[in-house]
Amino acid sequence: INWAADVVVEDRVWIAEDVYIYKGVRIGTGSIVGARSTVTKDLPPHALCLGTPAKAVRHNIGWSEKLLPRPPAGPSPGE
């Protein structure tokens, strides 16, 4: 029997597009999971994780939730 298991995504985790996350996995606080990765095992906190299966390629990373400033409004090019 294929029993259900929770997926735990801790705080401030960034998951890119087309990522597969298997059941029973925990993704640590502040981590980034790269596009098209497959998460089959727990990932450590504050790590950049990539690949199939996803592995931590960098540790002790940080990222900001701030948005980049928008350019000032003005005439569009060609006007």
Side-chain angles (χ1 to χ4, degrees), residues 7-22 25-39 41 43-44 47-51 54 61 63 65:
V7 171
V8 178
V9 178
E10 295 180 356
D11 296 331
R12 293 178 39 90
V13 171
W14 181 11
I15 300 174
E17 65 182 348
D18 296 332
V19 172
Y20 291 101
I21 301 174
Y22 285 22
V25 170
R26 176 181 295 269
I27 301 175
T29 300
S31 290
I32 299 172
V33 182
R36 291 176 280 291
S37 295
T38 303
V39 182
K41 296 181 181 178
L43 298 178
L48 171 62
C49 305
L50 305 169
I61 65 162
W63 58 276
E65 294 180 31

Side-chain angles (χ1 to χ4, degrees), residues 47-51 55-59:
L48 171 62
C49 305
L50 305 169
K55 295 179 184 175
V57 296
R58 291 223 170 129
H59 296 276

